Amino acid sequence: MSLLNKKLEDLQQNVKNIRNICILAHVDHGKTTLADSLVAANGVISAKLAGKLRYMDSRKDEQERGITMKSSAISLFYPWQEKEYLINLMDSPGHVDFSSEVCTAVRLCDGAVIVVDIVEGVQPQTKVVLQQAWDQGMKPILVLNKLDRLIFEMKLDTRGAYAHINQVLEQVNAVMGEMFTTQVFSDSNQKPEITEFKEGDTFDWSSGLEDADDSQLYFSPAQGNVIFASASDGWAFSLETFVEIYTKKLNFSKTVLRKTLWGDYYMNVKEKKILKGANIKNKKPLFVQLVLDNIWAFYQTILDDKDKERLEKMIGTLGLKILPRDMRSSDPKILLTAVMSTWLPLAVSVLSMVCDNLPSPADIGLERSKKLMCPQTKKFEILPEETKKLLTSFTACTSNDSDPKIVFVSKMFPVSKSQMPGNRAKPLSDEELASRRTAARERHQERQLTAGTEGAVQLTADQLKTIELNQEEEKKPEDDIEFIAFARIFSGTLKAGDELFVLGPKYDPTTSGKSLAEGDFPEHCHASKVVVSGVYMLLGRDLEHLEVGYAGNIIGISGLANSVIKSATLCSNPWCPPFVELVQSTFPILRVAVEPVRSSDMKAVAKGLQLLNQADAHVEVLVSEVGEHLLLTAGEVHLQRCILDLTESYAKCEIMVSDPIVPFRETIVPVPDTDMVNEAIEGEKKTNKDLNDEGGIVELETPNKQSSFKLRAFPLPAGFTKLLQENIFLIKALASKTELSSQSQEDLELFQEQLATAAMEDDFLTANIKNIISFGPKRTGPNIFINSVPSLDTASVWVEPQSRKKGDERLDLISSLVNGFQLATFAGPICEEPMMGVGFVLESWELQEEGDTGWGPLSGQIVSTVKDGCRRSFQAQPVRLMTAMYTCDIAVKAEVLGKMYGVIHRRRGQIVSEEMIEGSSTFTVTAHIPVIESLNLANELRKQTSGLAMPQLIFSHWEILDVDPYWEPNTEEELTHFGEKADSENPARVYMNAVKRRKGLKIDEKLVEFAEKQRTLTKSK
Ligand SMILES: Nc1nc2c(ncn2[C@@H]2O[C@H](COP(=O)(O)OP(=O)(O)OP(=O)(O)O)[C@@H](O)[C@H]2O)c(=O)[nH]1
Ligand SMILES: [Mg+2]
């Protein structure tokens, strides 16, 4: 172990001096480049390569594409103000496809370094990461990066740059302010309401915003939480850097400088005073004069004027020591980096601010610990006593023998076995050398003995066995991969040999804690036991073996591969709750079917997919109903990375990938007033209301004629459906109403109110919200099932089920009824895709004493009959397909704006907004584009705009495709307008048929019409 690593290991025990931080930003704002300089400060890479190597991007494709795809960690040592610090630094990806990797990093850290490109300013992912840091209760510092771009790209003078910096700061602070107000408002909602008013009482209209403390909230250089940097040129400074420089050089008072160096202050040279009001008097602010002017001067002298003499003078005044070799360099960029990084070393500014400003793991605090232990929707108080006791261990973060061991695994990452510390080539000891020599001699003798038997060698049974085993092993792709858990110890110590409980996300200490404590493992308790086989320090591309891991540190753990799939909580105490799952900001929407090129590789692919699933938090692997292996990814870039991983590491065989499969939703709409050519529909086609009264009702009977139903479907208002989608976690929480936290209780009431408002346009729905008996599919989906049979007295979703009244047999069969609805909404009749925005009404339900014999159990018959009924009543309404839409954010240069619009329109996209980034020629354009039309968009845009436009695609919403998929030209006008075969084909039908074809469903499609015409086309000329 190197000296540095030894030091790091020692430092792990001093929790006060540990900082766990991650670097977060929008894509390409310079996180990895910044990390380089910090890593270089530890001598892991040479300072010369810092900013160019992108050390934390250890994968080949990360290097080639220039984007980070995985978050990775490194432990750094930093001596600061006579103390020694251990900084566990994490680099995260900025591309939206990998936002789940950001989640895994954020989970383990206490502090965040938010990087913002000073030219691009706040971008969509910047907002997302600020929100994530906020939600996790992390303390952030801000790095305004790429300041060099202001000089040469934007060609700003120092005052212009100052104004621009202020603008970007305001943008960031606006985001912070917004999050703060939202929080205060939601907190003030929780305050107990005053119900009685006495005379003389004053009513407080304020929202609490005035009293809330926001002094620490905003970023400001004067607050000491902003750093200015150019990561690629290796320099950075905070206000404190210049305060130090000028107090030494010019004998200024530190306190005065700290107050005045940032802000509306200027220097009056005559009076030798610093005064306020630079703006009004049109004077140079102090920051411009003392800071920016100097930096601009260096860039000017070195890169523009190439004036060595002047430069030497400047270096002399500052007392910098530059290597003669760098001074002689003919490349001005090298010279610039050498000078600037000596004057304003990046690592010093960033790391010292991290040590001073960001909390240690011991400062985790009560609030954050509670948040980790208990989902927001539940009351902390309902946790069992034994569990509540663990809160002190969380907050204390101590490593005594008596402390429970609590570890959170946020992801599993693959390491090739040869890279593991134990397996790296070591120099051989004398004994090992001697034994190898003997072995070689024996082999040689054996060979000589068997030489006479014409090449045939008799093998013993044992030898045969080993050979067979070896052959089998050769086929297993996972053999050279070991999964290491990316984890943080929250309490206690961890070493190889420790036996711990592995608690899956669904583990519940209330129900299973006691059994586990007694040594039982009840079925489906989502817990198991595991023995840790090794603990490692994470060092970027390497791992270093650790004897013991201490509380507060981020470490790697081996030996968990068989017990942990993606994330888990490890604890020595079975009363520990599993850590709260993070809500993902995106969900995997792009799915493909994969299969091997050679069918003999099928097993390898199946195994490979499992490994991939384990290694990537954001991948989902499914087997479809027809037996295909489906892979769900966040987007195209993510997909390409997964396929590469699969072919190269996990399955190790050639793979065929289907065209991406894009999901659809099925819905119904009110009967339209006009047909496809905008003619009013009259006559026999009735209005929706009439339909509901008679035509829409479907009547069914179970096969044994014992039970019959009347069902009806109706479209939910769009706002209503949206609410259902947005509040899934509340709907989930409804399942256990007694455990709801008071906050969730209020959220629930609010949710009900909002639903009532959204239902206003539909009288029937308004009257029946209280009669909803289920949501579906999966009991949380955006469809509802309403009980409108007055005699059927069953509990709605909103109330706790009471003890059941005797006498009504139907009540025993409610779950079958609901299951039928669940199945119907899971796969609709258009093309077996899930339904959305549909309400089903149970109009009547008859149950006879007995039915025909010879049929299976009644419950099963009810499931299938209700499912069928829902599907038929769905089809009695005008049906529509819904397509998934992406929000597409594109940063694009003005000169290629037109070309970009061309690409978007061709793909049926709509522009939502377009803004120019002030002072630059870059536009930020937001568009909506159907997911199905988005494939290869990034590539096409790059080609069309010579790489000047970069799209970020995030799933946004579902949109109704306003054409009936079964529509064919019917009326005379339609026939004249569209021709007999609807020449411009019905897009909904195209999509529907494509889905059906994929699923192997029957398609109502004529392949060749009027074949004889085709035959005669050429001959008849
Ligand atoms: N001009 C300039 N370019 C920079 C600076 N810092 C980084 N870059 C460039 O910006 C590009 C992106 O840098 P990265 O460090 O890979 O960005 P990132 O934030 O890690 O990107 P992702 O991980 O993909 O989100 C690279 O081409 C860098 O050379 C800077 O201070 N000034
Ligand atoms: Mg990066």
Side-chain angles (χ1 to χ4, degrees):
M1 188 184 276
S2 72
L3 265 181
L4 175 66
N5 293 354
K6 182 86 195 78
K7 180 129 231 154
L8 290 172
E9 191 177 351
D10 294 343
L11 279 173
Q12 296 209 335
Q13 300 180 47
N14 187 358
V15 74
K16 285 258 172 296
N17 290 3
I18 298 175
R19 299 289 180 271
N20 294 325
I21 57 163
C22 55
I23 311 184
L24 304 173
H26 188 73
V27 64
D28 258 359
H29 281 197
K31 297 172 288 294
T32 312
T33 314
L34 185 81
D36 256 11
S37 292
L38 306 183
V39 174
N42 263 211
V44 178
I45 58 172
S46 97
K48 278 226 152 18
L49 289 175
K52 295 169 193 72
L53 193 62
R54 302 210 324 277
Y55 178 77
M56 302 296 274
D57 284 354
S58 52
R59 296 166 52 99
K60 193 164 141 241
D61 51 348
E62 285 181 326
Q63 285 287 345
E64 279 169 4
R65 278 180 168 244
I67 60 171
T68 308
M69 303 186 183
K70 293 262 179 189
S71 46
S72 49
I74 187 163
S75 300
L76 300 174
F77 164 69
Y78 186 64
W80 173 239
Q81 296 193 329
E82 288 152 31
K83 283 191 196 147
E84 292 181 329
Y85 287 88
L86 166 65
I87 295 167
N88 292 315
L89 174 80
M90 254 182 242
D91 181 28
S92 69
H95 195 285
V96 277
D97 275 14
F98 306 109
S99 50
S100 66
E101 284 287 323
V102 181
C103 284
T104 57
V106 163
R107 270 330 272 277
L108 303 186
C109 294
D110 307 302
V113 176
I114 311 271
V115 181
V116 175
D117 179 334
I118 192 77
V119 173
E120 289 191 4
V122 171
Q123 291 288 317
Q125 279 308 99
T126 317
K127 288 186 196 159
V128 173
V129 293
L130 279 169
Q131 184 75 47
Q132 267 174 334
W134 175 271
D135 290 345
Q136 285 291 311
M138 297 164 87
K139 200 168 171 199
I141 60 175
L142 179 68
V143 174
L144 295 174
N145 191 27
K146 306 200 185 180
L147 246 65
D148 59 302
R149 289 182 73 186
L150 296 181
I151 308 174
F152 280 105
E153 247 175 73
M154 288 177 77
K155 302 211 165 26
L156 291 180
D157 62 6
T158 44
R159 282 177 84 167
Y162 178 70
H164 183 84
I165 292 172
N166 264 308
Q167 260 175 18
V168 174
L169 259 177
E170 257 167 48
Q171 285 175 8
V172 181
N173 282 332
V175 180
M176 296 300 287
E178 209 173 293
M179 294 187 302
F180 179 70
T181 1
T182 323
Q183 167 108 31
V184 174
F185 275 127
S186 87
D187 286 353
S188 68
N189 271 346
Q190 281 185 46
K191 281 187 201 151
E193 275 175 37
I194 308 164
T195 42
E196 271 181 44
F197 278 101
K198 289 190 211 103
E199 220 174 306
D201 270 355
T202 48
F203 187 77
D204 183 12
W205 285 101
S206 76
S207 52
L209 210 54
E210 294 77 9
D211 311 330
D213 177 22
D214 62 353
S215 59
Q216 293 295 311
L217 173 75
Y218 295 108
F219 292 110
S220 155
Q223 289 257 3
N225 55 10
V226 177
I227 283 174
F228 303 89
S230 167
S232 58
D233 294 346
W235 58 267
F237 64 88
S238 63
L239 218 54
E240 197 58 30
T241 320
F242 276 94
V243 169
E244 287 290 331
I245 293 178
Y246 283 111
T247 36
K248 267 188 212 145
K249 276 241 155 312
L250 304 177
N251 248 343
F252 273 130
S253 129
K254 258 190 191 175
T255 20
V256 171
L257 262 189
R258 274 192 194 124
K259 246 197 204 153
T260 56
L261 194 52
W262 179 257
D264 195 23
Y265 296 93
Y266 70 98
M267 190 151 32
N268 187 325
V269 187
K270 257 193 222 151
E271 292 183 30
K272 296 190 177 149
K273 267 188 185 161
I274 295 177
L275 301 169
K276 208 170 171 159
N279 205 358
I280 292 179
K281 293 185 190 142
N282 199 17
K283 301 274 188 201
K284 246 189 201 178
L286 212 53
F287 186 76
V288 175
Q289 192 177 4
L290 296 185
V291 180
L292 295 185
D293 274 354
N294 286 315
I295 292 170
W296 259 241
F298 269 114
Y299 271 80
Q300 181 75 28
T301 315
I302 301 175
L303 293 188
D304 244 11
D305 305 345
K306 305 198 171 61
D307 185 343
K308 283 254 163 100
E309 245 171 66
R310 181 147 173 253
L311 176 66
E312 268 165 34
K313 232 190 248 162
M314 290 162 80
I315 291 174
T317 355
L318 291 172
L320 304 179
K321 288 200 178 59
I322 312 290
L323 287 180
R325 192 186 50 201
D326 288 333
M327 283 304 282
R328 282 196 304 272
S329 165
S330 57
D331 184 352
K333 204 75 190 163
I334 292 184
L335 181 57
L336 178 90
T337 315
V339 174
M340 292 302 285
S341 61
T342 319
W343 182 36
L344 305 168
L346 186 143
V348 174
S349 308
V350 176
L351 295 181
S352 51
M353 191 179 280
V354 164
C355 294
D356 284 344
N357 262 25
L358 298 183
S360 87
D363 300 329
I364 181 166
L366 221 54
E367 272 312 300
R368 192 162 180 229
S369 310
K370 276 192 185 173
K371 254 192 198 170
L372 289 173
M373 289 174 70
C374 177
Q376 253 179 332
T377 52
K378 291 201 175 171
K379 287 186 259 191
F380 185 78
E381 292 71 37
I382 56 131
L383 294 176
E385 281 308 312
E386 287 86 344
T387 307
K388 276 189 257 175
K389 273 187 212 146
L390 286 174
L391 185 64
T392 40
S393 314
F394 263 96
T395 36
C397 192
T398 44
S399 310
N400 303 319
D401 286 343
S402 56
D403 290 323
K405 301 173 196 295
I406 306 177
V407 179
F408 178 69
V409 176
S410 89
K411 69 167 181 179
M412 302 290 284
F413 67 97
V415 177
S416 100
K417 278 200 176 147
S418 55
Q419 289 289 309
M420 296 291 295
N423 298 350
R424 264 181 252 142
K426 286 185 281 209
L428 296 174
S429 67
D430 285 348
E431 290 125 52
E432 280 170 324
L433 275 176
S435 76
R436 281 194 177 197
R437 261 197 302 269
T438 348
R441 225 176 278 135
E442 278 170 11
R443 269 201 309 275
H444 182 67
Q445 271 175 0
E446 234 173 69
R447 230 176 288 139
Q448 283 200 330
L449 273 177
T450 52
T453 53
E454 292 168 3
V457 181
Q458 182 61 47
L459 295 178
T460 64
D462 271 354
Q463 280 170 322
L464 267 175
K465 224 183 221 168
T466 24
I467 289 173
E468 273 165 15
L469 271 182
N470 281 344
Q471 277 174 346
E472 242 171 47
E473 271 168 15
E474 255 175 23
K475 278 190 197 150
K476 278 195 210 154
E478 78 266 37
D479 251 356
D480 51 345
I481 292 173
E482 168 128 21
F483 275 96
I484 301 290
F486 199 59
R488 166 161 167 181
I489 309 180
F490 280 83
S491 159
T493 58
L494 194 68
K495 58 179 180 309
D498 279 347
E499 199 182 12
L500 297 173
F501 290 104
V502 182
L503 312 174
K506 286 189 184 151
Y507 173 74
D508 186 356
T510 323
T511 51
S512 316
K514 195 151 177 277
S515 335
L516 252 60
E518 287 163 2
D520 285 344
F521 282 87
E523 234 177 287
H524 305 304
C525 70
H526 303 282
S528 58
K529 264 203 156 178
V530 74
V531 178
V532 170
S533 69
V535 182
Y536 304 92
M537 182 155 55
L538 303 170
L539 292 171
R541 298 182 183 188
D542 291 325
L543 297 172
E544 186 74 60
H545 184 77
L546 282 177
E547 279 306 316
V548 185
Y550 296 92
N553 283 287
I554 292 172
I555 49 153
I557 309 173
S558 64
L560 306 182
N562 295 330
S563 332
V564 179
I565 294 186
K566 293 186 186 204
S567 70
T569 308
L570 310 181
C571 189
S572 56
N573 181 332
W575 291 102
C576 181
F579 278 52
V580 172
E581 273 183 286
L582 262 198
V583 185
Q584 302 273 4
S585 53
T586 58
F587 74 98
I589 186 122
L590 198 65
R591 60 168 84 187
V592 289
V594 289
E595 59 179 1
V597 173
R598 284 185 306 273
S599 51
S600 57
D601 288 333
M602 200 62 216
K603 258 197 177 153
V605 170
K607 186 74 205 166
L609 280 169
Q610 271 177 24
L611 292 174
L612 178 69
N613 185 33
Q614 189 163 27
D616 190 321
H618 213 36
V619 152
E620 270 180 47
V621 173
L622 307 169
V623 177
S624 75
E625 54 277 32
V626 289
E628 293 168 309
H629 288 282
L630 297 181
L631 177 68
L632 270 80
T633 57
E636 267 189 303
V637 187
H638 188 204
L639 175 66
Q640 284 160 7
R641 203 214 64 213
C642 290
I643 296 299
L644 190 77
D645 277 355
L646 209 53
T647 28
E648 289 192 349
S649 328
Y650 301 138
K652 292 210 169 138
C653 61
E654 276 180 80
I655 286 172
M656 277 195 299
V657 182
S658 73
D659 280 341
I661 303 166
V662 180
F664 286 89
R665 292 288 181 266
E666 302 185 6
T667 192
I668 50 180
V669 291
V671 178
D673 298 330
T674 55
D675 63 11
M676 290 294 288
V677 277
N678 281 337
E679 294 275 324
I681 300 176
E682 293 158 359
E684 78 275 25
K685 292 214 169 179
K686 297 159 193 160
T687 63
N688 194 27
K689 202 155 183 294
D690 295 340
L691 241 180
N692 283 346
D693 282 340
E694 357 164 338
I697 296 183
V698 170
E699 214 176 326
L700 290 108
E701 215 174 21
T702 51
N704 72 348
K705 306 211 167 51
Q706 190 179 355
S707 185
S708 65
F709 307 89
K710 279 189 187 163
L711 288 161
R712 175 170 68 87
F714 71 101
L716 298 177
F720 195 88
T721 314
K722 192 157 173 260
L723 278 170
L724 294 182
Q725 277 177 293
E726 285 168 356
N727 289 289
I728 283 197
F729 69 98
L730 266 182
I731 297 180
K732 248 187 210 166
L734 270 176
S736 45
K737 283 174 222 61
T738 42
E739 295 175 357
L740 288 184
S741 64
S742 57
Q743 170 69 40
S744 312
Q745 204 81 48
E746 272 167 33
D747 287 349
L748 198 63
E749 275 160 32
L750 185 71
F751 175 47
Q752 272 171 296
E753 273 167 37
Q754 286 171 331
L755 280 181
T757 323
M760 219 109 83
E761 58 194 80
D762 188 326
D763 296 341
F764 172 80
L765 183 59
T766 310
N768 279 288
I769 292 185
K770 59 178 189 312
N771 292 332
I772 299 179
I773 51 171
S774 183
F775 300 97
K778 295 188 183 162
R779 296 185 189 266
T780 50
N783 304 288
I784 57 172
F785 196 23
I786 290 176
N787 165 25
S788 126
V789 184
S791 66
L792 182 67
D793 188 14
T794 179
S796 78
V797 287
W798 308 113
V799 299
E800 196 62 24
Q802 306 137 354
S803 55
R804 205 175 316 127
K805 278 185 236 145
K806 292 237 165 83
D808 191 345
E809 305 247 315
R810 292 179 297 184
L811 294 176
D812 295 329
L813 294 162
I814 287 282
S815 69
S816 305
L817 183 85
V818 169
N819 281 344
F821 158 76
Q822 298 294 339
L823 288 178
T825 47
F826 185 71
I830 305 182
C831 51
E832 305 292 327
E833 291 286 287
M835 292 185 191
M836 180 166 196
V838 188
F840 289 97
V841 188
L842 181 67
E843 298 278 359
S844 85
W845 182 7
E846 307 290 334
L847 186 69
Q848 316 298 335
E849 282 287 310
E850 262 171 50
D852 295 354
T853 46
W855 298 94
L858 180 65
S859 55
Q861 294 181 42
I862 289 186
V863 173
S864 60
T865 313
V866 172
K867 175 186 166 195
D868 215 32
C870 287
R871 285 169 74 108
R872 277 176 41 198
S873 60
F874 177 91
Q875 277 175 308
Q877 309 292 329
V879 300
R880 294 287 182 271
L881 273 183
M882 294 177 96
T883 51
M885 300 293 281
Y886 273 137
T887 299
C888 169
D889 288 302
I890 312 175
V892 55
K893 293 265 183 245
E895 60 261 35
V896 291
L897 205 57
K899 286 205 170 131
M900 183 217 70
Y901 279 152
V903 176
I904 298 288
H905 286 308
R906 220 170 309 131
R907 288 164 178 268
R908 306 205 357 222
Q910 307 136 10
I911 304 293
V912 183
S913 74
E914 175 194 291
E915 266 172 47
M916 187 160 178
I917 298 175
E918 235 168 282
S920 73
S921 61
T922 308
F923 283 81
T924 329
V925 177
T926 309
H928 283 155
I929 197 165
V931 175
I932 193 154
E933 305 283 352
S934 72
L935 304 173
N936 234 345
L937 175 69
N939 259 347
E940 188 180 342
L941 267 181
R942 202 175 305 131
K943 271 187 213 139
Q944 291 281 337
T945 63
S946 339
L948 293 178
M950 191 134 122
Q952 291 267 304
L953 297 166
I954 311 174
F955 172 74
S956 135
H957 63 282
W958 295 93
E959 203 165 282
I960 295 180
L961 198 63
D962 204 12
V963 197
D964 183 342
Y966 302 106
W967 172 82
E968 276 175 0
N970 247 332
T971 61
E972 222 164 276
E973 285 84 4
E974 282 176 349
L975 280 170
T976 14
H977 198 271
F978 293 98
E980 206 166 305
K981 282 184 292 165
D983 297 350
S984 47
E985 242 199 297
N986 173 354
R989 192 193 194 95
V990 175
Y991 293 152
M992 173 181 74
N993 285 344
V995 176
K996 282 185 161 179
R997 203 170 297 128
R998 194 189 75 228
K999 293 186 175 174
L1001 303 170
K1002 200 169 142 269
I1003 300 174
D1004 180 21
E1005 199 176 37
K1006 289 178 202 141
L1007 284 181
V1008 182
E1009 257 181 298
F1010 311 123
E1012 70 282 4
K1013 266 193 193 166
Q1014 292 179 355
R1015 191 169 26 117
T1016 51
L1017 262 182
T1018 42
K1019 283 188 186 167
S1020 63
K1021 263 188 194 168

